[in-house]
Amino acid sequence: ELTNDGNFCCDGLVFADRSLKAGSLEAKAAYAPFRLRFADGILYIKNCYDFKTFAGQTVSVSVEADGESVAKVNIDDATTAPGNELSILLPDLPADCLYGVYANVTLKDGDNATTLQLELPADRRQLVKQSTPAAIEETADGYAVMYGENGFHVSGKNGCIDKIIKNGRSIIKKPLELSVMRAPTDNERNIAQYWYCLDIWQGENFDRLFNKVYAISIGDADVTVTGSLAGVSHVPFFRYVQKISFTADGCAHVELTGKIRENCVWLPRLGYETLLTGKNGDFEYYGAGPGESYCDMRHGAPVGIYRSKAAKEYVPYVMPQEHGNHTAVSWLDMNGEFVVSSDNRFDMNVSLYSSAQLMAAKHTDELKNSDGVHLRIDYKDSGIGSASCGYPLDPKWRLCEKEINFAFDIKLTD
């Protein structure tokens, strides 16, 4: 049309059909009339109203440790005055945990309820892991570690896990490879020219990525790769060492260390991705959910245990773009076939579409499902921000560190 503002004509806090999106829930959490803090065993709930007390409202507190409820407190008709704090002495809490202890606080006023989450202090203990190494066998095109009909295969060409084998067949169609690309959002319309091959003079060409392998060394139970990532016709922006160690309990431990080039632009994300067989993509995870979340947009996505599938992860933005990320993830169970976990929280994404597909499509009807399920396991994703017509993303939400240390486990299930 002659008069057209592109997908900006559909911009707003809700979708065109008035359904809610992650931004809606983030706004609701930001506007919540209370705030939380914790000290010396007491949870404080501050009344942020200017004139209204908590009278006639219900305050519900649920404390969860590693996704399991350990305490509940309900208070009806609290009379906390504006600007004051309601104090609740919580029952004895776990001194330690595997993943985290959280207080979920809901303030209900008639039909309207708002929930905020606060992480409580607790020592995180390490998972007890099987340390017995598993023997590596050489194959025609790489290296295999087998546990009967299950196992892993590592490419002799690039040192990536190119097969995760269950019942004698691989359940991945593409190798588990390093990547940094994600389909730019509206808010990234300016920074995208520095990321991708949109401006041939200044982009890092992250969407035209080459993984250069300099050396592969094989130990009794591990494969170590020295390599670098670079956009086509560019000097490397990431030089890394990747070590994959195998243990007898069906686990592959991936360690990635490296350095980002000093004058490189901040990254959209950094992690691994692969294509799984099957279209269902059922999964369960412990992290921020149930909707999408990013490091700067997760107040409306409390940490907990959630179940989903690839098709449900799609977010129908009018112009296809990056979506469906989950941050603060401790473990991910993919359809009962394998579990990804880490001692440090990570980001993950399960989708029917690749980043390249999303980037190429300008309308939702142009998207065609891939022949499988795309899985991303990320060290970190940059935030979303609001730079489509506002300030650039705050540096604290950018993936701009230069020293990278990332480790996670892939454990085959029985």
Side-chain angles (χ1 to χ4, degrees), residues 11 44 57-58 60 139 215 229 241 248 347 351 380 385-386 396 409:
D11 212 3
Y44 295 92
Q57 303 185 55
T58 301
S60 301
T139 67
L229 297 182
V241 175
D347 283 38
S351 177
K380 188 181 292 186
S386 57
K396 69 181 178 182
D409 293 331

Side-chain angles (χ1 to χ4, degrees), residues 241-387:
V241 175
Q242 172 192 276
K243 182 178 181 181
I244 307 176
S245 307
F246 300 94
T247 52
D249 59 344
C251 181
H253 179 69
V254 181
E255 295 178 75
L256 177 71
T257 59
K259 290 186 177 182
I260 304 293
R261 198 182 72 232
E262 282 300 323
N263 64 345
C264 182
V265 64
W266 54 278
L267 306 183
R269 49 172 283 270
L270 174 63
Y272 291 82
E273 63 179 308
T274 185
L275 179 65
L276 307 174
T277 58
K279 296 182 181 298
N280 193 27
D282 286 351
F283 64 97
E284 184 177 24
Y285 67 98
Y286 182 78
E292 63 177 351
S293 61
Y294 293 81
C295 60
D296 65 339
M297 190 179 67
R298 53 160 295 193
H299 295 91
V303 171
I305 296 176
Y306 301 100
R307 294 176 178 85
S308 186
K309 59 181 59 181
K312 289 176 61 177
E313 293 296 291
Y314 178 64
V315 182
Y317 291 109
V318 174
M319 186 179 76
Q321 56 191 275
E322 162 67 21
H323 66 271
N325 187 71
H326 295 283
T327 193
V329 177
S330 293
W331 56 261
L332 164 67
D333 185 335
M334 284 304 303
N335 204 28
E337 294 183 315
F338 63 88
V339 175
V340 179
S341 63
S342 176
D343 290 329
N344 296 306
R345 293 161 186 162
F346 59 97
D347 283 38
M348 68 84 177
N349 184 301
V350 179
S351 177
L352 293 177
Y353 311 105
S354 69
S355 295
Q357 286 177 293
L358 293 169
M359 189 172 178
K362 300 305 179 186
H363 304 86
T364 54
D365 64 303
E366 296 169 17
L367 283 176
K368 307 300 179 185
N369 287 358
S370 303
D371 187 22
V373 173
H374 295 269
L375 169 64
R376 293 192 333 215
I377 304 167
D378 286 348
Y379 162 71
K380 188 181 292 186
D381 274 57
S382 290
I384 296 298
S386 57

Side-chain angles (χ1 to χ4, degrees), residues 54-82:
F54 282 164
Q57 303 185 55
T58 301
V59 178
S60 301
V61 180
S62 174
V63 180
E64 294 184 352
D66 298 335
E68 300 292 332
S69 178
V70 295
K72 290 186 177 181
V73 178
N74 291 309
I75 298 177
D76 295 320
D77 203 28
T79 57
T80 309

Side-chain angles (χ1 to χ4, degrees), residues 12-24:
L13 271 176
V14 296
F15 285 113
D17 62 358
R18 299 186 182 182
S19 60
L20 301 180
K21 53 186 176 182
S24 319

Side-chain angles (χ1 to χ4, degrees), residues 122-308:
D123 293 331
R124 291 188 67 188
R125 62 183 184 272
Q126 298 285 314
L127 288 167
V128 178
K129 299 177 182 178
Q130 168 68 260
S131 59
T132 305
I136 295 178
E137 300 177 2
E138 189 168 354
T139 67
D141 55 354
Y143 311 92
V145 177
M146 296 301 297
Y147 313 90
E149 291 294 302
N150 303 331
F152 300 96
H153 187 273
V154 176
S155 167
K157 181 178 179 181
N158 58 23
C160 296
I161 294 176
D162 59 0
K163 294 178 184 177
I164 298 178
I165 302 165
K166 293 298 296 286
N167 300 318
R169 65 178 184 88
S170 180
I171 58 174
I172 64 174
K173 291 186 172 184
K174 292 184 178 180
L176 186 69
E177 293 184 306
L178 281 168
S179 66
V180 297
M181 180 186 174
R182 72 183 189 192
T185 66
D186 268 353
N187 295 344
E188 293 160 352
R189 57 176 55 214
N190 294 317
I191 189 63
Q193 62 186 320
Y194 298 96
W195 285 346
Y196 303 126
C197 191
L198 303 175
D199 183 322
I200 61 172
W201 302 109
Q202 60 189 14
E204 283 283 351
N205 295 344
F206 291 150
D207 54 336
R208 307 286 193 274
L209 199 64
F210 283 85
N211 184 359
K212 173 70 173 179
V213 173
Y214 302 110
I216 301 178
S217 61
I218 310 300
D220 292 336
D222 55 70
V223 178
T224 301
V225 175
T226 302
S228 67
L229 297 182
V232 61
S233 79
H234 281 54
V235 296
F237 64 87
F238 182 44
R239 297 183 182 275
Y240 68 88
V241 175
Q242 172 192 276
K243 182 178 181 181
I244 307 176
S245 307
F246 300 94
T247 52
D249 59 344
C251 181
H253 179 69
V254 181
E255 295 178 75
L256 177 71
T257 59
K259 290 186 177 182
I260 304 293
R261 198 182 72 232
E262 282 300 323
N263 64 345
C264 182
V265 64
W266 54 278
L267 306 183
R269 49 172 283 270
L270 174 63
Y272 291 82
E273 63 179 308
T274 185
L275 179 65
L276 307 174
T277 58
K279 296 182 181 298
N280 193 27
D282 286 351
F283 64 97
E284 184 177 24
Y285 67 98
Y286 182 78
E292 63 177 351
S293 61
Y294 293 81
C295 60
D296 65 339
M297 190 179 67
R298 53 160 295 193
H299 295 91
V303 171
I305 296 176
Y306 301 100
R307 294 176 178 85
S308 186

